[in-house]
Amino acid sequence: MNRLLGYAMCWVAVMGVITLGAGEDLSDRLAALVAALPAWGYIGFWVRREIRAIREDGRLARERRRWGKLMDRGELLDAVTMLVGRDTRPPECGERGHGAGHICLAVSQELPLADLVDAINSRYESSRNLAMGGYADPTVDATTGRPLLVPFGADVVDMRAWAHGSRWIGAGTVRAGDDVRRVVLVAERAVPDVAGLPADATWVERVVAVTGWAGEPRTVDWAAVEERLGTRLPGDYKQLAEIFRDGAFDAYLSLYVPESGNRSMDFVGQAEYLARFAARSGTSLWEPYGIHPAPGGLLQWGASEQEGEFYWVTEGDDPDRWPVVVTDDLRAWTQFPGTAAEFVFRMLTERSHPYSIARYYETHWFQSYGAEA
């Protein structure tokens, strides 16, 4: 019907022009002009509408190209790595309505959210859940990933978060009109404040503060653990294991804890494995030390990605006074006075420390290896 009306209006306009040109006097020409004006007005409206439709189709096409056929999994990981590891400029997003402090990456909408999470997990370990099914965790704040939620407001459907140095990494879904689209973004992460800690803060409290860690602590049956090992354990280690669970400080020092989801980092399992290995093969690998449960033997509480191994020397009756000893190759050993928590804090914050991470990162974090942080 609209097409027929358009044809009729074009016919009227053309006939009006012909009549206007063929009129013999002024009155005939004026009559032809008046008769043709509505038709010409309709034609002008139709042309304007078509131009607008062409522009809208172009915009939609650009959006489809942007959100439907952009970064694949490998390109996405490379972009995230560049933003969290090399680019120290304040991030600024180009999305309409988004402020500074983050960058949204143009991720392919062909990648399912589960694949995005698995891809980032493969490089940055397990994530924290900030929102699910349209409901955001009300306890989330600046120390636990809120900068990843702010750009989308109430439109957030799902969001997972990873901490890495001075950046947050987020992957999730947000509402976009009647659709839901996948998003990946990198946002600024506030530097945890340790200056405000009281002078008598414990080493564990200092480690919590410097990493900005806010995960829920768990309960460990330490009586059963110590009975199984045949020794009491340092008190600050018990606090670390309950607060941080199993994971790594600055993606470097992995903490061994009881009932770890990773067999290679299960505190009790590793202790029993080394004891069996030493009983079969002797202790020459660890000279001049023995292996627990030998008197004064080594008891491992952590390891690094660069094959560093962190032990206590279980000498004396007071486990809180056990020194920490570290080796990179089982040939050279470095002993440190103080507890495991003190060692971790100094390693994170002191550039002069032999195993310093402060030389590489100014902002520190702990990444849990569990399914949920």
Side-chain angles (χ1 to χ4, degrees), residues 213-244:
W213 180 247
E216 288 294 326
R218 65 169 183 162
T219 300
V220 177
D221 186 350
W222 291 110
V225 169
E226 291 175 335
E227 180 179 3
R228 188 170 164 184
L229 291 173
T231 182
R232 292 187 298 123
L233 296 171
D236 75 324
Y237 164 75
K238 296 179 185 179
Q239 295 177 47
L240 284 177
E242 289 179 343
I243 293 172
F244 290 97

Side-chain angles (χ1 to χ4, degrees), residues 1 6-7 46 62 74 131 165 171 176 184 220 225 263 285 335-336 339:
M1 185 65 184
Y7 290 151
W46 179 79
R62 288 193 299 272
V184 173
V220 177
V225 169
R263 285 184 58 189
L285 282 176
Q335 191 169 126
F336 299 87
T339 66

Side-chain angles (χ1 to χ4, degrees), residues 8 33 56 94 180 209 242 310 327 357:
L33 177 62
E56 182 67 13
V180 174
E242 289 179 343
F310 304 84
T327 183
I357 299 178

Side-chain angles (χ1 to χ4, degrees), residues 32-368:
L33 177 62
V34 171
L37 280 177
W40 282 109
Y42 177 83
I43 292 172
F45 169 78
W46 179 79
V47 170
R48 183 179 179 185
R49 185 184 64 184
E50 290 302 312
I51 292 174
R52 185 180 299 171
I54 292 171
R55 288 177 176 173
E56 182 67 13
D57 287 344
R59 185 187 68 80
L60 292 175
R62 288 193 299 272
E63 287 296 311
R64 284 194 294 270
R65 287 195 300 270
R66 182 177 185 188
W67 298 113
K69 197 176 180 182
L70 288 173
M71 289 188 188
D72 61 19
R73 174 175 172 141
E75 293 169 334
L76 177 69
L77 281 176
D78 289 343
V80 168
T81 299
M82 180 187 70
L83 290 172
V84 302
R86 305 173 194 167
D87 195 340
T88 59
R89 296 169 298 176
E92 187 168 349
C93 189
E95 287 290 309
R96 181 180 301 176
H98 287 198
H102 76 283
I103 292 178
C104 290
L105 301 177
V107 59
S108 171
Q109 296 300 291
E110 297 176 359
L111 285 173
L113 178 59
D115 287 356
L116 291 175
V117 172
D118 288 343
I120 302 175
N121 276 347
S122 70
R123 192 166 295 180
Y124 297 99
E125 302 300 341
S126 299
S127 58
R128 172 188 294 276
N129 198 14
L130 304 185
M132 180 180 292
Y135 296 95
D137 182 350
T139 65
V140 174
D141 58 22
T143 68
T144 55
R146 182 168 177 76
L148 298 172
L149 302 177
V150 170
F152 311 105
D155 291 329
V156 174
V157 179
D158 302 285
M159 185 62 68
R160 310 284 299 190
W162 295 259
H164 188 89
S166 60
R167 295 287 189 263
W168 287 108
I169 305 166
T173 57
V174 299
R175 298 181 188 89
D178 295 332
D179 297 325
V180 174
R181 65 178 174 89
R182 285 170 282 284
V183 294
V184 173
L185 69 157
V186 173
E188 288 182 311
R189 178 171 174 260
V191 177
D193 180 22
V194 295
L197 287 173
D200 60 349
T202 67
W203 293 112
V204 173
E205 290 170 339
R206 293 170 189 266
V207 174
V208 170
V210 78
T211 57
W213 180 247
E216 288 294 326
R218 65 169 183 162
T219 300
V220 177
D221 186 350
W222 291 110
V225 169
E226 291 175 335
E227 180 179 3
R228 188 170 164 184
L229 291 173
T231 182
R232 292 187 298 123
L233 296 171
D236 75 324
Y237 164 75
K238 296 179 185 179
Q239 295 177 47
L240 284 177
E242 289 179 343
I243 293 172
F244 290 97
R245 310 181 184 185
D246 56 339
F249 295 97
D250 285 12
Y252 173 76
L253 194 162
S254 296
L255 183 67
Y256 287 9
V257 299
E259 300 178 359
S260 169
N262 187 325
R263 285 184 58 189
S264 65
M265 291 184 293
D266 182 78
F267 178 72
V268 178
Q270 279 296 105
E272 293 177 338
Y273 167 77
L274 289 181
R276 291 193 300 270
F277 183 86
R280 293 194 307 267
S281 308
T283 59
S284 59
L285 282 176
W286 295 273
E287 289 180 351
Y289 301 101
I291 289 293
H292 177 79
L298 299 177
L299 186 59
Q300 189 171 7
W301 57 268
S304 79
E305 63 171 6
Q306 298 174 345
E307 300 184 355
E309 298 178 1
F310 304 84
Y311 300 86
W312 292 293
V313 182
T314 59
E315 55 187 16
D317 296 329
D318 184 359
D320 291 325
R321 299 178 66 86
W322 288 348
V324 169
V325 65
V326 183
T327 183
D328 292 321
D329 54 15
L330 296 178
R331 290 192 295 270
W333 298 85
T334 305
Q335 191 169 126
F336 299 87
T339 66
E342 180 181 354
F343 177 90
V344 171
F345 180 78
R346 294 189 182 279
M347 177 192 70
L348 294 175
T349 59
E350 296 180 359
R351 289 178 175 268
S352 60
H353 194 279
Y355 290 86
S356 174
I357 299 178
R359 287 174 282 188
Y360 309 104
Y361 296 109
E362 294 183 358
T363 305
H364 306 285
W365 73 101
F366 181 83
Q367 185 63 59
S368 172

